[in-house]
Amino acid sequence: MTHVLPVLLLAVCGFAGLLLVPLGLPGLWVMVLGVIGYGWLTGFETVGVGVIATAVGLALLGEAVEWWLGFGLARAYGGSRRAGWGALVGGLVGAGAGVPIPVVGSIVGAFAGSFVGAALLEYAGAGNAGRAVRVGWGALLGRAAGTAAKVGLGLAIAVVGAFAVLRR
């Protein structure tokens, strides 16, 4: 098999994965599948257990960091555990629903959803609007920090994939 198809698969998965991360979708896992697919199409010449483990480890780290920052900042701003879950679910719903802004509507929806989800569940539990808004702000900051960290880790996965291509 020519080398073009595996490299194209890796590049498409890497690019798509980086675009999916801000939407709250499993972009890092798309990138991991791209690395594994590249390895499979090239007979695992340059992609071995170490490369795959590194890519999977970076993706797992991204999920853990996003969860930790999302929950952690909502809690640091006075939120309950329920507010953390509200931020997570609200972000996913917001990304899916999006807002009517071309290209970035889903990203804006994800951030707004995190804020609204955390604020609503905090208000439902505590009944304090000021506190709910503060917790929503913390959830929004957590979402932004988690997304930035995941994009950085996605770039690291792309570098791992690029080194596999260059070693061939």
Side-chain angles (χ1 to χ4, degrees), residues 96-121:
V99 294
I101 300 173
V103 182
V104 297
S106 292
I107 297 169
V108 172
F111 283 83
S114 291
F115 176 88
V116 170
L120 280 177
L121 289 184

Side-chain angles (χ1 to χ4, degrees), residues 8-35 59 63 66 107 146-158:
L8 184 61
L9 171 73
L10 184 63
V12 167
C13 287
F15 185 72
L18 286 174
L19 290 177
L20 291 173
V21 168
L23 301 177
L25 298 172
L28 297 183
W29 298 104
V30 169
M31 297 177 79
V32 168
L33 289 175
V35 169
E63 300 301 332
E66 181 183 45
I107 297 169
T147 298
K150 282 182 83 170
V151 167
L153 290 165
L155 291 172
I157 293 171

Side-chain angles (χ1 to χ4, degrees), residues 22-130:
L23 301 177
L25 298 172
L28 297 183
W29 298 104
V30 169
M31 297 177 79
V32 168
L33 289 175
V35 169
I36 293 169
Y38 175 83
W40 180 68
L41 290 172
T42 59
F44 293 99
E45 291 175 19
T46 59
V47 174
V49 173
V51 170
I52 293 170
T54 300
V56 168
L58 289 168
L60 286 171
L61 179 61
E63 300 301 332
V65 166
E66 181 183 45
W67 182 85
W68 179 71
L69 287 171
F71 271 69
L73 285 177
R75 303 274 318 255
Y77 278 73
S80 64
R81 197 178 239 312
R82 183 170 33 185
W85 284 107
L88 180 65
V89 172
L92 292 173
V93 169
V99 294
I101 300 173
V103 182
V104 297
S106 292
I107 297 169
V108 172
F111 283 83
S114 291
F115 176 88
V116 170
L120 280 177
L121 289 184
E122 186 62 31
Y123 183 74
N128 182 326

